[in-house]
Amino acid sequence: QVQFVESGGGLVETGGSLRLSCIASGSRFSVYPMGWYRQAPGNQREWVAAITSAEATTYAGSVKGRFTISRDNAKNTVYLQMRSLKPEDTAVYYCNINGRTTGWGQGTQVTVSS
C-alpha cells in the first residue's frame, strides 16, 4: 500500500510559520484525496485539512484561515503551510489518504512555544 514520509516540523514561536511536506510512494498519488491530521499528547488524532484530486480544499474550523493545504502531483507531495501558529497547534502532524485509518507514517513534530 502507499506509504508516506512527513517532514518540515520544528520548534517555532507563537505567531510563526512552518511548511510541512509529505512525500508518497507509488504511482497513483494524483488520484488520491489527501489529508493532514495531527495528534497532541493525550489526545486522539484529529483531521486538519484535506485536498481532493481536483484540488478542492477543506479545513477544520480551528485552522481555517491560518493553514493552507496544497499538492504537487509531479513530486508526489502534499504540503501544509501553517501561519499564525498557536501553542494549541503543538502536535505530531501526519498525512494520509483522506479518510483512511491505516498506513500512518512517523509524522513530524510541531512545537509552538508561548
Side-chain angles (χ1 to χ4, degrees):
Q1 65 179 353
V2 63
Q3 296 180 319
F4 302 101
V5 178
E6 301 91 348
S7 63
L11 173 63
V12 64
E13 293 183 347
T14 296
S17 299
L18 283 173
R19 188 175 84 152
L20 307 184
S21 300
C22 168
I23 298 176
S25 64
S27 59
R28 292 181 49 81
F29 173 78
S30 64
V31 306
Y32 298 135
M34 291 297 300
W36 279 98
Y37 300 77
R38 66 187 182 187
Q39 187 168 18
N43 290 356
Q44 292 191 345
R45 186 176 284 137
E46 65 173 353
W47 172 81
V48 173
I51 185 167
T52 69
S53 58
E55 302 194 14
T57 58
T58 52
Y59 299 92
S62 59
V63 307
K64 195 170 186 179
R66 300 188 298 122
F67 290 11
T68 302
I69 187 171
S70 61
R71 66 192 299 161
D72 185 338
N73 290 334
K75 296 181 179 180
N76 271 23
T77 301
V78 61
Y79 303 98
L80 187 68
Q81 177 69 53
M82 306 186 295
R83 298 182 175 89
S84 301
L85 283 162
K86 305 175 181 180
E88 51 264 43
D89 295 318
T90 295
V92 179
Y93 284 71
Y94 304 86
C95 70
N96 206 338
I97 297 171
N98 196 45
R100 191 173 78 165
T101 57
T102 60
W104 298 98
Q106 293 297 307
T108 186
Q109 175 71 49
V110 172
T111 303
V112 185
S113 63
S114 58

